[in-house]
C-alpha cells in the first residue's frame, strides 16, 4: 500500500513544483452506494455485478453498508452530503423498505444538504409503478434508467432482459411517480448497428423527454463475454457518422453535451457526476466501491472496498480492501483525467484548491498540450480543444511522468 503523503518539493515534467499546501477548503462531499446484484450479467458489462439469487440478503447488506459507512465517518466529520448515487448492479432490485432504512441510517450519520441530489439506477423490467412511487417518497429525486436500445434485436444481442415497450413504459412510470429529473442510458456502436438504427434509438429517447441522456459507444472490455467472444461491430466510418449525427440531433433538441458521453437539458447535468469530474470528494460503500477523500492537511486518499458480495458480508473480513494516498507527482494526471472529460473543462483555480499544488506543476505539460492543439490556450481555464476531446488519452499523456 502506498502512503506517501510527503509535502516536499519535486520535479514534474521537468519543472520544480511547490510543496503541497493544506487545502483552503474541502471540496463537496458525495456518497456512492454499490448494490452488486443483477437479474442477469450482461455480456458487455465489466462492472462489479453478480447474478442475484431468488432471495436477496437485503437486511444483511443494509446492515453491512451502514457498518462500512461508520468506519469512514472519522474522515468526513462536520461535512454534509451534496449527492448520493445508488449504482450497481441493479439497485432497483432492492425494496423501498430496505433503501428507506439505509437512507435514514445515512442521514443519522451525515447531514444532507437542503438540495441534495439522490439518484437511483434502475432497469426496465425490474420495477413496478408502485415501487417508483415508493422510491420517490423516500426522497430519491433522480432516476437513471438503463435502456441501451429500444430495438429488440439489439437488446437481445446485448443480453438485456427488457424489451423496447418496457423501456418506453419505464420513462412514463418515472414521470407519473413524480420524477421530474431522470436520465436515460443509451448505447451506440452496437452489433450490426447502422446509422439509421442509432438515430432511431436517439429519437425515441428524446421523445420521452428525459432531462438527461447518457449516450456512449459500446466498447469491448477485458473479463467480459464480449471480450472473449467479440460480436461484429460497425466499421470506424459508420461509428464516426453515428457520433456526428447523434450529437447534432441531441443539440437540436436542447441536450447540450457537457461531458464525453453526457447530454443534459439546461440546468440538469448530473450533479453527482460533476463532483467526480471536478475532483470532488466521495465516500464509496458497498462491495467493490471506490472512494476519494481529501484531508485538511493536504492528503488525498483513494479507497476501495472488498469486491465479492460474500466476502463483503463476511464479518470476519474487512470492508476496506485497500487505500492509497496520492503523491504529488500523481496529482496532475489524477486531476486532469477527470476534469478534461468536461467539454468546458474547469477553472484553473480549481487545481490548486483541490490538490494543494501550484499551477506551475502543470506548466510544462500544459505548454506541450497547447502547442499540439489538444489543450485550449486559456490561462483561466483547463479545457481540451475539440481535437483534444477526440484524443483525450494523447492529451493526458502530456501530464504523465
Amino acid at each position: 500500500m502506498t502512503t506517501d503523503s510527503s509535502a516536499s518539493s519535486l520535479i514534474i515534467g521537468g519543472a520544480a513544483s511547490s510543496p503541497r499546501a493544506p487545502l483552503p477548503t474541502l471540496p463537496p462531499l458525495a456518497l456512492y452506494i454499490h448494490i452488486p446484484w443483477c437479474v442477469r450479467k450482461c455480456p458487455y458489462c465489466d462492472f462489479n455485478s453478480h447474478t442475484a439469487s431468488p432471495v436477496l440478503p437485503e437486511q444483511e447488506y443494509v446492515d453491512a453498508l451502514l457498518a462500512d459507512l461508520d468506519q469512514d465517518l472519522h474522515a468526513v466529520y462536520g461535512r454534509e452530503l451534496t449527492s448520493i448515487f445508488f449504482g450497481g448492479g441493479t439497485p432497483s432490485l432492492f425494496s423501498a423498505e430496505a433503501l428507506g432504512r439505509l437512507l435514514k441510517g445515512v442521514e443519522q450519520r451525515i447531514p444532507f444538504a437542503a438540495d441534495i441530489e439522490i439518484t437511483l439506477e434502475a432497469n426496465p423490467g425490474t420495477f413496478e409503478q408502485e415501487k417508483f412511487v415508493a422510491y420517490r417518497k423516500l426522497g430519491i429525486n433522480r432516476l437513471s434508467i438503463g435502456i441501451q436500445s429500444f430495438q429488440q434485436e439489439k437488446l437481445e444481442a446485448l443480453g438485456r432482459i427488457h424489451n423496447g415497450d418496457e423501456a418506453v413504459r419505464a420513462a412514463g412510470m418515472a414521470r407519473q411517480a413524480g420524477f421530474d429529473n431522470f436520465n436515460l442510458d443509451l448505447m451506440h456502436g452496437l452489433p450490426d448497428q447502422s446509422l439509421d438504427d442509432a438515430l432511431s434509438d436517439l429519437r425515441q429517447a428524446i421523445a420521452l423527454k428525459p432531462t438527461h441522456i447518457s449516450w456512449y459507444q459500446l466498447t469491448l472490455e477485458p473479463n467480459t463475454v464480449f471480450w472473449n467472444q467479440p460480436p461484429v461491430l460497425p466499421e470506424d466510418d459508420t461509428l464516426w457518422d453515428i457520433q456526428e449525427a447523434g450529437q447534432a440531433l441531441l443539440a437540436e433538441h436542447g441536450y447540450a453535451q457537457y461531458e464525453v458521453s453526457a447530454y443534459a437539458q439546461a440546468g440538469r447535468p448530473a450533479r453527482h457526476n460533476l463532483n467526480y469530474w471536478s475532483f470532488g470528494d466521495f465516500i464509496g460503500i458497498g462491495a467493490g466501491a471506490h472512494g476519494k477523500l481529501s484531508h485538511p492537511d493536504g492528503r488525498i486518499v483513494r479507497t476501495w472496498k472488498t469486491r465479492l458480495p460474500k466476502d463483503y458480508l463476511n464479518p470476519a473480513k474487512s470492508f476496506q480492501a485497500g487505500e492509497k494516498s496520492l503523491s504529488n507527482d500523481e496529482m496532475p494526471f489524477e486531476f486532469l483525467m477527470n476534469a478534461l472529460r468536461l467539454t468546458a473543462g474547469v477553472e484553473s483555480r480549481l487545481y490548486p484548491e483541490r490538490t494543494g499544488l501550484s499551477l506551475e506543476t502543470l506548466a510544462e505539460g500544459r505548454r506541450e498540450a497547447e502547442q499540439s492543439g489538444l489543450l485550449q490556450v486559456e490561462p483561466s481555464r483547463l479545457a481540451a480543444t475539440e481535437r483534444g476531446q477526440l484524443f483525450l488519452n494523447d492529451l493526458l499523456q502530456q501530464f504523465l511522468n
Side-chain angles (χ1 to χ4, degrees), residues 121-142:
E121 287 187 338
N123 284 336
T126 63
F127 56 83
E128 307 83 24
Q129 175 70 25
E130 294 76 15
K131 211 173 188 182
F132 266 28
V133 171
Y135 289 153
R136 186 66 190 89
K137 287 179 179 177
L138 296 178
I140 295 169
N141 51 23
R142 184 175 181 273

Side-chain angles (χ1 to χ4, degrees), residues 277-278 334-346 382:
W277 296 322
S278 57
E334 287 278 338
F335 180 89
L336 292 170
M337 75 173 179
N338 293 286
L340 294 181
R341 290 182 62 91
L342 296 168
T343 54
V346 297
L382 291 163

Side-chain angles (χ1 to χ4, degrees), residues 107-289:
E107 191 170 16
Q108 288 171 343
R109 290 160 170 82
I110 311 177
F112 289 3
D115 62 345
I116 190 170
E117 175 193 270
I118 306 178
T119 301
L120 177 81
E121 287 187 338
N123 284 336
T126 63
F127 56 83
E128 307 83 24
Q129 175 70 25
E130 294 76 15
K131 211 173 188 182
F132 266 28
V133 171
Y135 289 153
R136 186 66 190 89
K137 287 179 179 177
L138 296 178
I140 295 169
N141 51 23
R142 184 175 181 273
L143 290 178
S144 182
I145 305 174
I147 302 294
Q148 314 316 349
S149 177
F150 294 93
Q151 298 164 33
Q152 189 59 33
E153 69 275 12
K154 299 297 186 289
L155 290 168
E156 290 175 1
L158 292 173
R160 304 295 288 173
I161 63 170
H162 68 272
N163 59 43
D165 289 341
E166 287 175 316
V168 171
R169 285 199 299 271
M173 286 182 184
R175 186 170 282 108
Q176 291 169 20
F179 288 96
D180 62 356
N181 188 14
F182 66 94
N183 167 67
L184 296 183
D185 255 9
L186 206 62
M187 299 172 73
H188 61 89
L190 306 180
D192 298 317
Q193 188 178 50
S194 67
L195 172 61
D196 287 344
D197 289 338
L199 294 183
S200 174
D201 270 346
L202 259 186
R203 290 191 184 97
Q204 177 64 82
I206 290 167
L208 297 173
K209 295 182 168 52
T211 49
H212 190 286
I213 296 177
S214 296
W215 189 60
Y216 49 94
Q217 184 179 321
L218 170 65
T219 56
L220 305 185
E221 302 290 348
N223 303 314
T224 65
V225 173
F226 274 4
W227 180 263
N228 295 314
Q229 303 170 32
V232 178
L233 301 181
E235 299 288 340
D236 286 347
D237 287 348
T238 301
L239 292 173
W240 181 252
D241 290 343
I242 289 172
Q243 186 74 31
E244 283 197 315
Q247 287 178 328
L249 182 64
L250 286 160
E252 177 188 341
H253 288 273
Y255 292 91
Q257 184 182 15
Y258 68 97
E259 189 266 344
V260 170
S261 58
Y263 303 77
Q265 293 178 344
R268 295 293 196 163
R271 284 164 45 198
H272 186 85
N273 288 339
L274 277 177
N275 188 52
Y276 284 155
W277 296 322
S278 57
F279 214 53
D281 279 356
F282 53 98
I283 307 169
I285 60 173

Side-chain angles (χ1 to χ4, degrees), residues 340-358:
L340 294 181
R341 290 182 62 91
L342 296 168
T343 54
V346 297
E347 294 184 47
S348 297
R349 63 171 178 78
L350 203 64
Y351 178 74
E353 286 180 11
R354 298 281 163 93
T355 68
L357 293 174
S358 164

Side-chain angles (χ1 to χ4, degrees), residues 11-24:
I11 303 298
I12 294 184
S17 78
S18 56
R20 189 186 305 180
L23 301 181

